[in-house]
């Protein structure tokens, strides 16, 4: 509770759990002994009556989060409560191989000695990968833009960093992060769509649970057809959302060769020229086609847009909202930009790595 919902008083924990006060006190004491939580006096503790101590997750209990992409690799150190202590993004010379990504991760972690020294022992590594990932086996089936196929993923990263490693699809972890700490907290039915240099993926929250599918590969929403006879897609078809709505097309229109989402943000917020505006509007219109399909299929209460899709939404969200509202059968869905920004996938990867601890703190 305190990891996902923030600091809570002992009395509030008693109310929410239904346990008695002595049980909550014993649990808090046991967790505090293991340094998993901290207690503090509430504000205004000098008033009459016995104040209920505030319990919060210890953010110095941390994991390492890794997000490889086709143009860069990002590493973060994330503590309990979703606290991102640091984030380092390093651009790569070309698309990195799996070995390249592992070595670069080690190099970045070595440079973070100063940050890691102030934390508790790091518990593990979470990997957010743009591709089909068998999370239970720790293997990537295919990461098409990276060119990684049928390879052990967690073994190389975990072995090189000396920590237990877990991995999952990046967009699925983005959905997990936003539903736990971000824009979709408390929403039982939501669709999350992420756009990165590698393409577009998604995650679906249905009835409060993440939709995984029979093999864990659900959420490949980027392969929804949005333009018949359109651009060829790496999946072998043409006109997929992933092929038509692309970060590099927007950067090309702006005359930029690198910089990623941060560079695009600067262009769109500074008043883009005609070429960028035309490409952004084209992509928004095609994105609307996909979102209408998702509304009709999943009937979500909320659609959350992350990565460069969030940048497009900030650029002209009304255009997108209007088209989705009028095009879908039921209408009435809310669109929001992801709340966690560039830390989103790191928080999702960390949440995956924290699962064993949360399931069994002892």
């Amino acid at each position: 509770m305190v990891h996902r919902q923030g600091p809570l008083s002992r009395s509030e924990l008693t109310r929410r759990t239904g346990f008695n006060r002595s049980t909550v006190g014993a649990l808090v004491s046991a967790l505090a002994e293991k340094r998993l939580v901290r207690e503090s006096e509430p504000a205004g503790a000098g008033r009459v009556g016995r104040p209920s101590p505030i319990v919060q997750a210890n953010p110095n209990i941390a994991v390492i989060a890794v997000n490889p992409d086709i143009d860069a690799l990002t590493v973060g150190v994330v503590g309990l409560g979703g606290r991102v202590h640091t984030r380092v993004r390093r651009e790569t010379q070309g698309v990195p191989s799996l070995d390249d990504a592992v070595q670069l991760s080690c190099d970045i972690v070595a440079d973070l000695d100063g940050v890691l020294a102030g934390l508790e022992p790091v518990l593990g590594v979470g990997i957010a990968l743009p591709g089909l990932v068998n999370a239970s086996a720790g293997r990537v089936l295919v990461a098409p833009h990276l060119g990684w196929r049928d390879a052990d993923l967690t073994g190389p990263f975990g072995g090189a960093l000396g920590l237990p490693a877990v991995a999952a699809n990046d967009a699925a972890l983005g959905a997990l992060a936003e539903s736990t700490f971000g824009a979709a907290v408390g929403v039982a039915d939501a669709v999350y769509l992420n756009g990165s240099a590698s393409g577009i993926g998604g995650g679906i929250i249905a009835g409060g649970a993440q939709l995984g599918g029979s093999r864990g590969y659900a959420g490949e929403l980027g392969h929804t057809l949005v333009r018949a006879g359109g651009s060829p897609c790496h999946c072998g078809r043409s006109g997929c959302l992933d092929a038509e709505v692309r970060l590099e097309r927007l950067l090309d229109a702006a005359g930029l060769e690198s910089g990623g989402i941060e560079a695009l943000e600067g262009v769109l917020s500074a008043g883009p020229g005609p070429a960028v505006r035309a490409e952004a509007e084209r992509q928004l219109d095609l994105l609307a086609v996909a979102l209408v399909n998702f509304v009709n299929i999943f009937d979500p209460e909320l659609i959350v847009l992350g990565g460069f899709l969030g940048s497009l939404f900030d650029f002209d969200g009304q255009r997108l909202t209007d088209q989705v509202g009028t095009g879908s059968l039921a209408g009435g869905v809310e669109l929001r930009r992801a709340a966690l920004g560039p830390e989103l996938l790191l928080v999702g990867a960390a949440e995956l790595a924290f699962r064993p601890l949360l399931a069994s703190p002892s």
Side-chain angles (χ1 to χ4, degrees), residues 284-310:
L284 282 166
D285 293 345
L286 292 171
L287 178 59
V289 174
L291 296 187
V292 167
N293 287 335
F294 303 153
V295 172
N296 289 338
I297 295 169
F298 299 112
D299 187 26
E301 174 187 345
L302 173 69
I303 294 175
V304 179
L305 299 171
F308 80 90
L309 301 182

Side-chain angles (χ1 to χ4, degrees), residues 1 10 13-14 17-37 39 55 361:
M1 284 183 176
R10 281 199 186 191
L13 288 168
T14 301
T17 60
F19 299 153
N20 61 39
R21 289 173 57 188
S22 60
T23 299
V24 168
L27 289 171
V28 170
S29 296
L31 292 170
E33 282 183 13
K34 296 181 181 299
R35 303 172 65 87
L36 296 176
V37 301
E39 285 194 278
V55 184

Side-chain angles (χ1 to χ4, degrees), residues 224-231 238-241 244 249 282 286 289:
T224 299
L225 180 67
V226 295
R227 188 165 77 91
S231 301
S238 297
C240 291
L241 177 65
E244 295 289 345
R249 288 194 181 199
R282 186 192 74 84
L286 292 171
V289 174

Side-chain angles (χ1 to χ4, degrees), residues 247-321:
L247 174 60
E248 69 264 23
R249 288 194 181 199
L250 290 160
L251 295 176
D252 287 346
L256 299 173
E257 295 182 358
S258 62
I261 295 169
E262 289 82 357
L264 177 64
E265 289 272 350
V267 170
L268 293 178
S269 63
V276 177
R277 178 173 294 276
E279 179 60 21
E281 291 176 350
R282 186 192 74 84
Q283 294 199 20
L284 282 166
D285 293 345
L286 292 171
L287 178 59
V289 174
L291 296 187
V292 167
N293 287 335
F294 303 153
V295 172
N296 289 338
I297 295 169
F298 299 112
D299 187 26
E301 174 187 345
L302 173 69
I303 294 175
V304 179
L305 299 171
F308 80 90
L309 301 182
S311 306
L312 284 172
F313 181 70
D314 273 359
F315 172 66
D316 195 348
Q318 195 61 53
R319 183 187 187 101
L320 191 60
T321 301

Side-chain angles (χ1 to χ4, degrees), residues 89-157:
R89 179 183 185 272
R90 288 194 183 165
E91 294 191 356
T92 56
Q93 298 295 320
V95 179
S97 67
L98 177 56
D99 289 343
D100 292 338
V102 170
Q103 183 59 55
L104 184 53
S105 297
C106 291
D107 293 344
I108 294 174
V109 170
D111 291 341
L112 297 178
D113 276 349
V115 175
L116 297 173
L119 304 178
E120 308 288 341
V122 176
L123 300 180
V125 181
I127 305 159
L129 188 77
L132 294 181
V133 179
N134 186 324
S136 60
R139 295 184 67 85
V140 53
L141 176 66
V142 58
H145 293 286
L146 286 168
W148 302 2
R149 294 181 180 274
D150 192 22
D152 181 16
L153 191 60
T154 54
F157 278 98

